[in-house]
Amino acid sequence: MGNTAGTITIIDAFGREVTIPDNPQKIAVSGSGSMRYFVYLDVNLDRVVAVDYQDSDLFTRPNELRPYLLANPEIKNRQALGSAMAVVDNEKLLASGAEVLFMGGASSSNVATANMITEKTGIPVVMFYVGDYVTKGDQIRETLRMLGKILHTEKRADEIVAYFNGVEEDLKGRVADVPDAGKPTVYVCGISYNGAHGADGTDPNYLAFTLLGAKNVASNIGEVSQTGYAKVAKEQILAWDPDMIFVDLGTLTAAEGGAVVEFGSDAAYQGLSAVKNGEVYAVNPHTSMNVNHETSLANAYYIGKVLYPDKFADIDPAAKADEIYEFVVGAPVYEQLKANVQNLSFTKLEIPLL
């Protein structure tokens, strides 16, 4: 990164060299869940003059699942950049007065779009990485530091990266001496990706399982989405027959009620050991307009307490979740999130047996 008078030249997350105003005071932010990192970085929201359609009041749904929006609902008062997710209307961008457009994405597929926006508006576009925190964590950390450099929030960028690292080390340290022998097998389902999914939606690299050294029955699946989602055949789930199942409550809006309903109404799923033995637990949706890393970490403490109660005897999962939410997004929003998922957060689910 280099400076000339009043400007800074950076290499963005997808290798593009961009010259922008140093410390811009009017910014626009585009992409699914794209305001998340700016909340993480504690950017003064008065600097944000336009947001993605999904972050604006044009996009409504009854139960908000994004902690950064629960903590900062005023984001929705900003001008929408377009009429759909990741759509940028050049006239609206110009009218907003933005000095820079930040465009979030998980791949370089939108490079041509970013370049065209600059050609037509004269407004520089900085692309930043959003995606899977487990397999691409370094890219996320680099992105946070890049944004911090541009917006003069370097100290906060370092703090948030250190916080994530510290939480991960705490989780891993608690279970470091747990022997593999005798560990229960686990499966997570109801993972969201381009909408809600049922029992067949999982994550082979699920962060909580990874940090806790859990025996994820789906860990060998090779093909996953940009956020970690993978679809599994029912027959495979039955063959795995995990000892414990964790249900991501994003499933509640899936067709016919998602995984919770499926486990209680499908005779095949009723034969699963976890269902028969009452070992089905609920965790908060970590993927909602891309991955909410703070929810992933909060879930890990609850899952840790279920799997290894003696190692997490000092942890109240709800209080720990609020501690994480307060540091990362600025407010303790666990109860709001819980209310938005039928108050099922961090509970053992009551699955009726046929």
Side-chain angles (χ1 to χ4, degrees):
M1 298 188 184
N3 284 83
T4 57
T7 65
I8 182 171
T9 299
I10 60 101
I11 304 298
D12 74 11
F14 296 102
R16 300 165 62 251
E17 184 176 287
V18 188
T19 298
I20 57 178
D22 184 24
N23 197 20
Q25 296 303 300
K26 292 184 177 182
I27 65 175
V29 186
S30 172
S32 181
S34 53
M35 274 299 298
R36 178 178 295 111
Y37 290 175
F38 296 83
V39 170
Y40 287 3
L41 292 172
D42 199 21
V43 173
N44 185 334
L45 295 179
D46 289 341
R47 299 169 72 173
V48 181
V49 294
V51 296
D52 190 84
Y53 165 82
Q54 287 185 337
D55 282 328
S56 77
D57 61 8
L58 297 180
F59 178 77
T60 59
R61 55 181 179 171
N63 299 312
E64 182 56 62
L65 304 176
R66 291 169 286 178
Y68 73 91
L69 262 184
L70 291 173
N72 302 276
E74 66 272 26
I75 288 171
K76 296 185 75 69
N77 298 330
R78 304 300 187 276
Q79 166 70 46
L81 283 166
S83 57
M85 184 268 290
V87 170
V88 176
D89 181 313
N90 289 334
E91 290 185 4
K92 290 181 178 177
L93 175 61
L94 283 166
S96 74
E99 302 167 81
V100 180
L101 169 64
F102 292 95
M103 180 182 290
S107 74
S108 59
S109 61
N110 288 325
V111 165
T113 300
N115 293 339
M116 188 175 297
I117 290 170
T118 297
E119 288 173 14
K120 293 191 173 183
T121 66
I123 296 171
V125 177
V126 173
M127 299 184 71
F128 64 98
Y129 177 78
V130 296
D132 182 9
Y133 186 80
V134 180
T135 61
K136 302 282 183 66
D138 286 345
Q139 283 183 250
I140 289 174
R141 286 184 278 272
E142 289 169 10
T143 276
L144 289 168
R145 289 191 172 107
M146 175 192 73
L147 295 175
K149 174 72 172 177
I150 294 168
L151 298 167
H152 288 204
T153 58
E154 297 100 325
K155 183 174 182 289
R156 173 63 178 178
D158 288 340
E159 288 173 351
I160 202 76
V161 168
Y163 184 80
F164 283 149
N165 290 344
V167 171
E168 292 179 27
E169 289 305 313
D170 178 56
L171 287 160
K172 289 189 288 188
R174 288 172 179 267
V175 299
D177 62 351
V178 176
D180 279 343
K183 280 184 180 179
T185 55
V186 296
Y187 178 67
V188 64
C189 64
I191 301 295
S192 299
Y193 178 68
N194 285 341
H197 297 276
D200 61 353
T202 193
D203 182 348
N205 302 307
Y206 192 58
L207 180 62
F209 293 169
T210 302
L211 295 175
L212 295 167
K215 287 187 175 180
N216 182 358
V217 294
S219 62
N220 290 326
I221 296 175
E223 189 171 336
V224 299
S225 76
Q226 64 193 34
T227 58
Y229 166 85
K231 184 173 183 178
V232 183
K234 179 195 289 189
E235 293 74 18
Q236 180 62 76
I237 301 169
L238 299 177
W240 283 330
D241 192 22
D243 298 315
M244 293 181 171
I245 295 174
F246 293 88
V247 178
D248 182 299
L249 292 169
T251 198
L252 294 174
T253 58
E256 300 179 2
V260 179
V261 172
E262 290 174 55
F263 289 140
S265 61
D266 187 303
Y269 283 135
Q270 288 263 304
L272 288 169
S273 297
V275 174
K276 290 189 295 186
N277 297 331
E279 296 289 348
V280 182
Y281 302 86
V283 293
N284 281 325
H286 77 290
T287 302
S288 180
M289 284 54 174
N290 272 301
V291 180
N292 298 283
H293 312 302
E294 63 282 7
T295 293
S296 295
L297 295 173
N299 284 343
Y301 279 98
Y302 172 68
I303 293 171
K305 186 145 186 139
V306 171
L307 295 179
Y308 318 114
D310 57 322
K311 302 293 185 181
F312 288 80
D314 62 318
I315 295 296
D316 173 340
K320 190 65 176 180
D322 266 343
E323 176 189 309
I324 293 169
Y325 288 136
E326 187 148 23
F327 184 87
V328 178
V329 299
V333 296
Y334 172 77
E335 291 298 333
Q336 285 179 267
L337 185 54
K338 181 179 179 181
N340 288 348
V341 288
Q342 301 178 18
N343 289 310
L344 294 174
S345 302
F346 298 172
T347 62
K348 178 183 282 192
L349 294 172
E350 298 294 331
I351 305 295
L353 296 179
L354 297 175

